[in-house]
Structure formats: C-alpha cells, structure tokens
C-alpha cells in the first residue's frame, strides 16, 4: 500500500513507462518533451484530480501524448475535444 502521494507517484511512473513502451512499439522516436507532457498530464490527474491542456505548435506530438495519457492512465471518463472536421475521419 502506501500514502496517496506514493500511490500517485507510482501511477505516474507506470504511465510514463507505458508511454515509452507505446512509442517503442510504434517505431516513433521518443522525444523528451512528449515524455514530459505525458508525465505532466498524469500528475495533474493523479495528484490534483484535474486534467490538463497541451496547446503547443503543430507537429510536436500532442496526439501521441494524449494517447499515451489515455493508455497509461485509463479512466472510465475521458473528454476528447476535436475540430468538427475530424469526426468523419
């Protein structure tokens, strides 16, 4: 067992390890800013009990980061906001 903070820290470590595994399996290059983004989002979910928003330049890997967060820290309720044009894809 452990304290709530220890359990949350373990969850963050697990999520970032799972993200690294996902990156390796897909053949993408692992980038530190993406690892940091996944870690930040999962920390917000586990420590602060709130989500986060990543809004950086196009092409920096927000989609793969969010997949990493969902894959590494699955919760039954996840809100995904996308432009209307993407709904047909």
């Amino acid at each position: 067992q452990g304290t709530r903070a220890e359990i949350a820290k373990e969850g963050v470590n697990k999520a970032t390890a799972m993200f690294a595994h996902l990156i390796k399996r897909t053949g993408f290059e692992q980038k530190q800013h993406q690892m940091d983004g996944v870690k930040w989002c999962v920390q917000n979910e586990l420590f602060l009990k709130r989500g986060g928003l990543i809004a950086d330049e196009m092409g920096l890997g927000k989609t793969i980061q969010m997949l990493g967060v969902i894959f590494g820290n699955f919760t039954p309720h996840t809100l995904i906001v996308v432009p209307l044009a993407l709904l047909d894809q």
Side-chain angles (χ1 to χ4, degrees), residues 57-78:
E57 298 290 326
M58 287 180 59
L60 293 178
K62 290 177 290 297
T63 301
I64 195 73
Q65 288 178 72
M66 291 304 97
L67 291 172
V69 171
I70 293 167
F71 180 70
N73 185 42
F74 181 79
T75 61
H77 299 92
T78 299

Side-chain angles (χ1 to χ4, degrees), residues 19-20 22-35 59-61 64-65:
F19 178 63
L22 174 67
I23 292 293
K24 185 176 181 178
R25 284 193 60 198
T26 59
F28 293 130
E29 179 183 345
Q30 183 174 321
K31 298 179 181 169
Q32 188 58 47
H33 70 275
Q34 293 172 344
M35 295 295 292
L60 293 178
I64 195 73
Q65 288 178 72

Side-chain angles (χ1 to χ4, degrees), residues 37-49:
V38 169
K39 183 177 180 180
W40 180 79
C41 286
V42 173
Q43 284 175 333
N44 280 348
E45 289 181 356
L46 295 177
F47 284 101
L48 304 176
K49 295 296 183 191

